Amino acid sequence: MREDEDASRSLDRKPERKNVAIKLAWLTDPHLNFAGIPKTEALINEIGATSPDALLLTGDIGESDDLEGWLQLMNARLDCPTYFVLGNHDFYGSTIEDVRALASELTEAFDRVFWLGCQDVISLSSETALIGHDSWGDGREGNMMTSRVMLADFMRIADLRGLDRKQLQAKLATLGDEAAEFLRPRLSSALATHRHTIVLMHVPPFRESAWHEGNASDDEWSPYFVCQAVGDLLLEVAADHPGAMLTVLCGHTHSGGEVWMAPNLRVRTGGAVYRKPAPQDPLVMP
């Protein structure tokens, strides 16, 4: 990539290309705090060697105290923009508000790393747009009130610590609704100007996409592994725009899979293994 092209991308944050296919690298749930610096550097080199037009990162990058360092490394080592959403682990040791504020500050400070939670529609090409939100398991799928699952989130994220089951359910529902409200106007804007929209999120939007070893998450786990509020929005938008294509990229479950929820709505969930971060298969888009 020529330096003048890179500078142009950094200035307007919209690396739009016309009539040329774009190649997108995708990474999810790398948990780089477990991988360490040597493995992370090797991972970044592996991604860079494929010369992608952008890296899409769907959360669980690290934890709150090391998030900045990992993003700084990507900003320094990759010649392409990195567009990311945050995962639940990225908030460990802090609050949701503080980590989001940090992500917003880093977006302003870095040249090539952008948190989608403070972005409008990113035009990757004349036909493909990008939007995203962190998303949360919003407690609506399955049966949260009888689930015996106790996530580390409820102890390591300050906003969720010390809540009883009803309070936690209400908080998670609020976070899910927040994700849908953030995405709704951006979906409308993207679909008005692009034929294809990519939606990045951490938590899968449907139980069918919350894979666990080849199957959908059960009633015990799905309250925390499905963001139903966003799923409902995506189904609504897909039905209202049959001529447009929606591709959702997510992670969180560490089990990979793909499901078509409508003829124009595809959800890809990336797999991941602790201490062995690896990119997903790249995407080639118009």
Side-chain angles (χ1 to χ4, degrees):
M1 183 182 296
R2 300 199 317 269
E3 290 184 0
D4 56 342
E5 288 178 341
D6 187 44
S8 175
R9 289 185 175 193
S10 299
L11 286 172
D12 64 14
R13 302 182 184 179
K14 296 181 179 181
E16 180 174 335
R17 297 169 59 175
K18 297 181 179 180
N19 303 321
V20 178
I22 54 174
K23 182 167 67 173
L24 305 172
W26 172 29
L27 180 65
T28 194
D29 299 83
H31 296 281
L32 299 176
N33 51 309
F34 290 104
I37 292 176
K39 286 185 179 180
T40 299
E41 290 178 334
L43 171 67
I44 293 173
N45 290 338
E46 178 184 356
I47 292 170
T50 66
S51 300
D53 293 293
L55 169 62
L56 310 181
L57 180 51
T58 47
D60 277 4
I61 302 161
E63 296 185 3
S64 65
D65 61 350
D66 55 27
L67 180 64
E68 180 175 355
W70 302 125
L71 293 174
Q72 185 175 37
L73 193 58
M74 293 177 192
N75 186 71
R77 297 292 182 87
L78 290 174
D79 290 331
C80 65
T82 294
Y83 298 106
F84 74 96
V85 296
L86 296 163
N88 52 310
H89 279 246
D90 296 314
F91 297 97
Y92 280 15
S94 188
T95 67
I96 295 171
E97 181 180 3
D98 285 350
V99 175
R100 286 178 173 172
L102 172 63
S104 183
E105 291 168 6
L106 296 178
T107 296
E108 293 300 318
F110 292 157
D111 294 329
R112 292 186 290 271
V113 174
F114 309 109
W115 176 50
L116 292 181
C118 64
Q119 300 289 298
D120 290 320
V121 177
I122 304 293
S123 185
L124 296 175
S125 73
S126 59
E127 296 198 27
T128 301
L130 174 68
I131 62 174
H133 191 276
D134 311 330
S135 73
W136 289 84
D138 62 7
R140 292 184 168 109
E141 281 286 345
N143 195 333
M144 180 175 168
M145 297 309 294
T146 61
S147 172
R148 293 164 292 179
V149 173
M150 180 61 65
L151 299 181
D153 299 20
F154 310 150
M155 295 169 281
R156 300 205 58 194
I157 301 174
D159 308 71
L160 308 181
R161 190 183 306 128
L163 302 181
D164 64 30
R165 190 57 61 99
K166 287 186 177 180
Q167 291 171 328
L168 181 60
Q169 187 177 48
K171 178 64 175 179
L172 294 178
T174 296
L175 290 169
D177 290 341
E178 177 187 67
E181 290 165 6
F182 180 89
L183 289 173
R184 181 179 290 278
R186 288 161 178 80
L187 276 169
S188 296
S189 179
L191 292 170
T193 53
H194 295 77
R195 186 172 62 88
H196 196 146
T197 297
I198 300 172
V199 182
L200 296 194
M201 50 193 300
H202 181 62
V203 176
F206 304 102
R207 185 188 290 218
E208 293 88 340
S209 60
W211 298 95
H212 177 66
E213 298 179 351
N215 298 303
S217 294
D218 61 20
D219 284 350
E220 290 275 302
W221 291 90
S222 60
Y224 313 112
F225 283 80
V226 179
C227 188
Q228 187 189 88
V230 172
D232 290 346
L233 170 64
L234 291 168
L235 288 173
E236 174 191 329
V237 169
D240 289 343
H241 298 81
M245 178 66 195
L246 294 171
T247 295
V248 179
L249 303 180
C250 56
H252 189 47
T253 68
H254 285 225
S255 290
E258 178 177 308
V259 61
W260 289 81
M261 297 302 297
N264 60 337
L265 174 55
R266 175 178 63 162
V267 183
R268 290 182 59 182
T269 308
V273 178
Y274 281 108
R275 296 180 176 84
K276 296 180 180 180
Q280 308 296 310
D281 291 338
L283 295 85
V284 177
M285 296 291 182

